[in-house]
Amino acid sequence: YSSPRRNQYQTFLKGYDEAWTYQGGTPYIRLNRLPVGDYELLVRGSDANGNWSNAMLQVPIVVLPAVYQTSWFWGLMALLLFIGIYAFFQYRLERKLEVERLRTKLSSDLHDEVSGLLAGIAMQTDRLTMTVKDPNSQVLLRQMGEVSRKAMSKMSDVIWSVDSRKDRFEDLLTRMREHAGEILSPLEIRYHIDVDRVDLKRKIKVNLRQNIYFIFKEAINNVAKHSQATEVWVRLYNEGSAFYMTIEDNGYEIRKRGRKNRDLEQGIPGASSQQGPAKVSKSGQGLANLRMRAERIKAELKVGEKGRGFQVYLRCDRFA
C-alpha cells in the first residue's frame, strides 16, 4: 500500500476466459453480454515493484436468463398458441354448424310450408277442372295446375340444394338419377350413369354441388327437348384432384339415319353420302345458363356436337 496508484491487476473468468487478462492499474472490470450460466472471477494483483500476489480474490458470478429465455416462458407461449388455435377452429366449427342448422331449418320450412301450399293448389285446380263445365275456365285451371307443378319442381330443387343433409356425392348422384328418370323415361330415352374413382361418401361444398347438378339438369332437359336422341351416356369420374362430367347423346346419329332413310325413300341420288352434324344454335338461354354456372365454380365447360351426338364436357379442379 506504499504506492497504490502503481498497483496492477490481472483477471481470469472461469468458464469463459482461456487465459489471464491484464487489466493494468484499473481496479474494476466490466463483463458484458455473458451467456447464461455460473462463473467464478479470479483477481490477483501486484505492488509497485511487480511482485504478484499468490493469494487471489474469488468472486462467484451467476448470470440469470432473461424472461424470454426461460423454459416456463416458452411453455406458456406454446400453451397460449394452442389455446388460440383451438379457439379459432372451435369458432369456425361453431359457425359451420350454425350455417348447417340454418340450412336444415330453411329446407324443412320450405318443404313443409311452400311445397305443401303448391301441392294443395295443384290438387284444388285438378278437382275444379273436373267440376267446371266452361271450356275456357277448364283451360285456365289446367294452366294453373301446370304452373303449380312446375313451381313445385323448382322448389324441390331449391330445397335439395340448401339442405345440409344432402352434402355428400352419393346424394348428388341420387338426385341426378331421379331427374334423369323423371325426364327421360317417359320419352323412352335410355340413360346410363357411370361413376368411376369417385368417393361416394365425400362431402361437396354447397355451391359446387348446386351448380354441378343444375348443369346436369339443363343438359338432360336439352336432350329431352331438342336432341331426338334415344340414348344418353353420363360419366362422372376423378383424375387426381380434378372432377369430370360428360353427358353425350346419340341425337346426331339418329337424325342422320332418319335423313338417309327419307332420302332413299324419295329416290335422291347420293343420299347415303350426306355427312356432318346438325347445326346447333348457341343463342339459347340454356347454353348461356350452362356457361354461367360453370363460371361460378371456375370450371372448364365445352358444349357442342361430338361423336354420336351432342356432348357437354365439364372439368372442375376444386372438387372439395
Side-chain angles (χ1 to χ4, degrees):
Y1 298 99
S2 59
S3 182
R5 293 183 180 180
R6 297 175 61 187
N7 292 344
Q8 302 176 72
Y9 304 94
Q10 287 182 338
T11 60
F12 180 79
L13 186 62
K14 280 187 177 181
Y16 188 80
D17 289 337
E18 296 181 357
W20 284 89
T21 302
Y22 179 68
Q23 302 292 345
T26 305
Y28 57 85
I29 183 175
R30 291 180 177 177
L31 302 173
N32 297 322
R33 298 182 180 179
L34 283 179
V36 176
D38 296 333
Y39 304 92
E40 186 178 23
L41 179 64
L42 304 180
V43 182
R44 64 183 181 182
S46 69
D47 56 18
N49 298 320
N51 299 314
W52 292 94
S53 62
N54 293 324
M56 293 178 290
L57 176 66
Q58 297 177 334
V59 181
I61 298 176
V62 179
V63 179
L64 299 176
V67 173
Y68 60 85
Q69 293 176 314
T70 58
S71 57
W72 65 265
F73 174 83
W74 288 107
L76 179 62
M77 291 297 103
L79 179 61
L80 292 177
L81 179 62
F82 174 78
I83 293 174
I85 294 174
Y86 175 80
F88 172 74
F89 282 102
Q90 187 69 20
Y91 171 78
R92 288 189 59 184
L93 178 61
E94 288 295 333
R95 293 291 299 170
K96 186 176 181 180
L97 292 175
E98 183 180 347
V99 171
E100 289 191 357
R101 286 192 292 265
L102 178 61
R103 287 171 54 198
T104 302
K105 183 178 183 301
L106 178 61
S107 62
S108 300
D109 291 345
L110 287 174
H111 181 271
D112 296 340
E113 301 296 335
V114 182
S115 294
L117 179 62
L118 292 173
I121 293 173
M123 292 175 61
Q124 291 297 328
T125 54
D126 290 341
R127 291 178 181 176
L128 288 173
T129 302
M130 292 186 293
T131 58
V132 171
K133 304 298 182 181
D134 181 30
N136 293 330
S137 298
Q138 288 181 345
V139 171
L140 290 175
L141 288 171
R142 289 193 187 96
Q143 290 177 349
M144 288 178 60
E146 186 64 25
V147 169
S148 298
R149 290 183 181 87
K150 288 182 179 179
M152 285 176 60
S153 177
K154 297 288 185 182
M155 184 59 63
S156 176
D157 288 337
V158 172
I159 292 171
W160 176 84
S161 65
V162 300
D163 194 344
S164 63
R165 295 166 294 186
K166 306 293 184 181
D167 282 345
R168 294 178 299 180
F169 182 84
E170 63 179 350
D171 299 313
L172 173 61
L173 181 60
T174 300
R175 189 70 178 182
M176 287 179 170
R177 294 187 190 277
E178 290 176 354
H179 182 73
E182 179 183 346
I183 299 299
L184 301 178
S185 294
L187 301 175
E188 297 183 354
I189 300 176
R190 296 187 302 273
Y191 64 92
H192 313 274
I193 300 179
D194 298 323
V195 182
D196 186 22
R197 298 190 300 274
V198 178
D199 183 6
L200 297 181
K201 301 298 182 181
R202 181 177 187 177
K203 282 197 170 186
I204 314 173
K205 291 182 179 178
V206 58
N207 181 55
L208 196 60
R209 176 169 59 89
Q210 288 175 355
N211 286 285
I212 289 176
Y213 171 70
F214 285 125
I215 289 172
F216 170 84
K217 180 179 179 181
E218 188 68 38
I220 293 298
N221 291 345
N222 286 340
V223 169
K225 292 178 182 177
H226 309 298
S227 72
Q228 302 176 22
T230 61
E231 203 160 0
V232 181
W233 295 267
V234 180
R235 188 173 176 227
L236 311 168
Y237 61 98
N238 276 345
E239 283 188 5
S241 61
F243 170 76
Y244 296 82
M245 178 174 69
T246 59
I247 304 168
E248 183 180 351
D249 63 59
N250 65 341
Y252 164 56
E253 189 177 66
I254 298 300
R255 290 192 299 270
K256 183 178 70 171
R257 190 183 307 162
R259 289 195 302 268
K260 179 179 177 181
N261 293 337
R262 287 195 301 271
D263 292 343
L264 288 175
E265 290 176 0
Q266 297 170 5
I268 299 176
S272 61
S273 64
Q274 291 185 6
Q275 301 290 336
K279 292 183 178 179
V280 179
S281 173
K282 296 187 178 180
S283 60
Q285 188 65 28
L287 294 178
N289 288 339
L290 290 177
R291 294 191 178 94
M292 176 190 68
R293 294 191 179 281
E295 289 176 359
R296 286 180 180 176
I297 57 176
K298 294 180 172 55
E300 177 188 358
L301 179 71
K302 296 179 183 178
V303 180
E305 295 277 2
K306 184 176 181 181
R308 293 166 289 192
F310 203 71
Q311 184 188 76
V312 175
Y313 168 90
L314 179 75
R315 180 181 187 274
C316 181
D317 290 324
R318 301 188 308 139
F319 189 62

